[in-house]
Amino acid sequence: MKPIISVRNLVVEYEERRVLDGINLDIEAGETMVLLGGSGSGKSTLLRHIIGLESPKSGSVLVKGTDITRCSPAELKAVRRSIGVAFQSAALFNSLSVKDNVALTLREHTALAPSIIDLVVWMKLAVVGLEDFGTLYPQELSGGMKKRGAVARALALDPEILVLDEPSAGLDPIVAAELDELILLLKQTFQMTVIVVTHELPSAFRIADRIAMLHQGVFRSIGTKDEVKASRDPYVRHFLDRVPENMASAPAVAAYFEKYLHTQEAQE
Amino acid sequence: MATFVENVGRKSLAQLDYLGRLSIQFWETLRSIKAALPFVGNRYRWQSSVRQMLQIGVDALPMVALMATCTGFILAMQGASELRRLGALHFVIDLVAVGFTRELGPLLTAIAVSGRSGSAFAAEIGTMKVTEELDSLRVMALEPVEFLLAPKYLAALITVPCLTIAANVCGIFAGGMFMFFSTHLSPLLYVREALDSIALRDVITGLIKSVVFATIIAHVSCLEGFRVSGGADAVGRSTTSAVVKSTFLVIVADAVFTAIFYFTGKP
């Protein structure tokens, strides 16, 4: 089966610093792919290329057969209408109420009557459990509610692909678990392809069909949950077993302070 | 020496890059401004334009009126103190009327709009940039230039000339007040003299200037917002930069236009 998203030899550089180093990834329609990795591993950068917000140095990203790194603005717009994105910061428009945030794409991209739009908005808010909070503004919501509002907005046009950037970052474990269940429910109900960027292991193993683990711009492991768990790659093992890599050693800290004191004394 | 040349080259390239971005943004806005028009465009964009008109125009009216009235008084008093010695006090009417319609009305209005609305444009767009709201717009297949800039530009194009006319009326009214209290000149006579001294071309050149000033303020301020990268401090810097650059460019454009009108015989 042809993948719905196909990343080929993607190279991304920021001021000559290579962030993604020729990576390849296929995401099948209807699966939940979790992009796992530590901070600065390049997973959010990969996500921004998958949704066409940035252009790579080389390589291609095919979404539903369209290479979004080389297509026309009109083609990119058409592809984007089939993708719903919930950003890490939720990025709800602060000047609009939650229901207006959800209604925005419906008003802009469909010819639905206002009463139908209201109904669709209410349904989307009900899916994420915010049906009683539609009239509130983003600044009046808690962190978890904002993220759920962002998911509702991403679902507005019934996208084929749902992209979630760090959905559980900064949330307490109960709210994070609620969001995981919501993602599972959405996938089960709407049969959509879900891409989730996260570094939260419990969340990743709860929701993923497959996991791609990124480290220093390359994939260290791509496979099912069991395949990733069984990986022998040293970084994957460190990550899964929570082994610290760059730990400050007590003697090194003591030596630093000793050297600093000597320098101060010499200056006096 | 090499470093000096390098620095000059780098700064020149940066300025050219800025001008290039400004030009691209301007053409993109012209292409998408149709969407902000009533009847033929998108009704949500037109609603946004009307909201912007209220903010740029109606909300600024008291401030612009007060500034113009004060400046009208100042101009009349300063002019009178010199003209009285020459026995030509009645020329104060010409000074205020022509000075406001050609020059002070458009310039004062542009400075007020730049300070009030230019800073607001840059802060709004800059904040949207740092909170990923602009990225949200793009992934929702909505163009930020059409969604944010076009309604602001259309609103500025309509409201700045209207505010300029209001500033002209207030400035000339202040001159009339001064003449009434200092020489007991009847208001009716003052109005007749003022209207006699203003030519239609003075009003038109003033309005042409105000349209150009509106273009400068809207585009420079929005570009400063779009260029924000970083956090809250960057938004603050962009807001300051928007006001400084747009005010500076308004004054430069005013000098250029005045020179053109002067040398082409239409001062």
Side-chain angles (χ1 to χ4, degrees):
Chain A
M1 201 170 75
K2 210 174 168 185
I4 193 165
I5 294 171
S6 188
V7 178
R8 287 281 162 269
N9 303 315
L10 193 71
V11 176
V12 177
E13 284 184 359
Y14 293 136
E15 293 169 358
E16 297 180 10
R17 187 172 60 87
R18 192 160 278 209
V19 181
L20 295 177
D21 195 4
I23 59 168
N24 292 288
L25 179 69
D26 284 333
I27 300 173
E28 304 293 337
E31 75 170 337
T32 299
M33 169 63 81
V34 170
L35 301 175
L36 197 62
S39 303
S41 59
K43 53 191 193 305
S44 287
T45 304
L46 172 59
L47 195 79
R48 291 178 70 80
H49 283 80
I50 288 174
I51 57 181
L53 281 178
E54 288 178 27
S55 299
K57 185 168 187 270
S58 65
S60 61
V61 179
L62 277 86
V63 181
K64 294 169 66 189
T66 305
D67 184 355
I68 59 168
T69 61
R70 288 173 186 82
C71 67
S72 67
E75 286 174 316
L76 183 60
K77 269 189 178 181
V79 169
R80 279 174 170 166
R81 286 188 198 188
S82 60
I83 305 178
V85 184
F87 285 92
Q88 184 177 354
S89 60
L92 292 170
F93 301 114
N94 282 315
S95 55
L96 301 177
S97 66
V98 178
K99 68 179 171 64
D100 285 337
N101 264 282
V102 181
L104 185 63
T105 45
L106 292 164
R107 287 175 186 154
E108 294 286 342
H109 297 312
T110 69
L112 294 172
S115 58
I116 306 292
I117 289 178
D118 283 346
L119 184 66
V120 176
V121 168
W122 183 84
M123 283 165 62
K124 302 296 175 189
L125 289 174
V127 167
V128 299
L130 286 182
E131 66 272 27
D132 296 330
F133 301 95
T135 52
L136 296 184
Y137 282 78
Q139 55 271 29
E140 298 171 303
L141 301 179
S142 68
M145 288 161 90
K146 275 184 196 168
K147 297 232 175 182
R148 281 188 282 156
V151 173
R153 188 177 65 180
L155 292 173
L157 288 178
D158 292 326
E160 288 175 64
I161 304 162
L162 179 65
V163 177
L164 306 166
D165 188 6
E166 304 271 13
S168 40
L171 302 179
D172 69 61
I174 297 170
V175 178
E178 283 172 3
L179 265 174
D180 291 345
E181 296 310 312
L182 174 64
I183 294 166
L184 287 170
L185 175 77
L186 292 174
K187 197 203 161 216
Q188 199 180 359
T189 313
F190 300 108
Q191 298 295 309
M192 52 178 60
T193 308
V194 183
I195 305 169
V196 181
V197 163
T198 188
H199 56 254
E200 309 271 345
L201 287 175
S203 174
F205 284 102
R206 176 83 183 111
I207 60 178
D209 291 323
R210 286 198 304 148
I211 293 173
M213 181 168 278
L214 204 55
H215 179 57
Q216 292 181 343
V218 291
F219 283 121
R220 303 299 284 261
S221 175
I222 302 175
T224 62
K225 288 184 266 192
D226 292 336
E227 284 168 351
V228 171
K229 270 183 188 165
S231 172
R232 291 274 156 232
D233 183 275
Y235 176 76
V236 177
R237 291 267 43 96
H238 280 187
F239 196 91
L240 297 182
D241 301 336
R242 293 169 56 90
V243 178
E245 273 190 328
N246 300 312
M247 206 171 68
S249 69
V253 175
Y256 172 81
F257 280 114
E258 209 165 295
K259 190 178 164 192
Y260 175 77
L261 289 172
H262 281 308
T263 318
Q264 292 294 311
E265 279 171 14
Q267 280 176 359
E268 282 169 11
Chain B
M1 183 65 185
T3 317
F4 173 73
V5 174
E6 274 172 22
N7 282 338
V8 171
R10 197 173 295 124
K11 287 195 172 160
S12 305
L13 284 175
Q15 293 305 318
L16 282 175
D17 176 60
Y18 187 84
L19 272 178
R21 284 193 195 197
L22 207 54
S23 311
I24 291 168
Q25 182 187 278
F26 179 67
W27 290 116
E28 278 183 5
T29 313
L30 286 188
R31 262 201 337 233
S32 56
I33 204 163
K34 193 184 161 204
L37 294 172
F39 308 116
V40 291
N42 178 321
R43 77 187 167 103
Y44 297 107
R45 242 32 112 247
W46 170 243
Q47 284 172 1
S48 173
S49 300
V50 173
R51 274 197 300 275
Q52 290 294 331
M53 283 178 212
L54 293 175
Q55 285 171 13
I56 301 169
V58 178
D59 293 354
L61 188 58
M63 179 188 167
V64 170
L66 193 62
M67 277 173 72
T69 307
C70 291
T71 312
F73 267 122
I74 293 164
L75 187 64
M77 285 187 284
Q78 293 286 13
S81 66
E82 291 300 310
L83 291 168
R84 194 191 301 272
R85 287 191 298 173
L86 303 168
L89 194 60
H90 63 282
F91 278 118
V92 167
I93 304 168
D94 298 64
L95 178 70
V96 173
V98 177
F100 258 90
T101 45
R102 277 188 201 168
E103 196 60 52
L104 283 172
L107 193 61
L108 272 179
T109 306
I111 289 170
V113 172
S114 165
R116 270 189 92 257
S117 303
S119 57
F121 294 168
E124 180 192 337
I125 295 175
T127 307
M128 289 181 78
K129 176 100 184 275
V130 298
T131 56
E132 295 181 307
E133 288 178 41
L134 291 187
D135 288 341
S136 279
L137 278 179
R138 288 195 185 95
V139 296
M140 289 154 81
L142 298 169
E143 280 304 316
V145 166
E146 185 198 311
F147 194 84
L148 296 168
L149 207 164
K152 288 179 172 51
Y153 183 40
L154 181 66
L157 282 180
I158 293 169
T159 52
V160 173
C162 293
L163 281 174
T164 301
I165 291 169
N168 291 345
V169 170
C170 290
I172 294 168
F173 170 77
M177 294 273 284
F178 170 79
M179 291 302 282
F180 177 74
F181 287 116
S182 62
T183 65
H184 303 292
L185 180 72
S186 102
L188 203 64
L189 196 59
Y190 175 82
V191 171
R192 196 181 302 152
E193 286 287 318
L195 288 176
D196 280 347
S197 61
I198 302 168
L200 182 63
R201 67 165 184 262
D202 297 332
V203 180
I204 291 171
T205 54
L207 292 180
I208 290 172
K209 278 183 184 178
S210 70
V211 167
V212 174
F213 296 164
T215 304
I216 290 171
I217 294 165
H219 283 279
V220 170
S221 306
C222 290
L223 182 63
E224 288 301 320
F226 286 123
R227 275 161 43 100
V228 164
S229 64
D233 58 331
V235 177
R237 277 198 303 275
S238 83
T239 308
T240 308
S241 186
V243 177
V244 172
K245 281 182 184 169
S246 56
T247 307
F248 170 74
L249 287 173
V250 158
I251 291 169
V252 170
D254 191 22
V256 171
F257 268 92
T258 306
I260 290 170
F261 292 138
Y262 181 80
F263 288 111
T264 55
K266 291 177 182 174

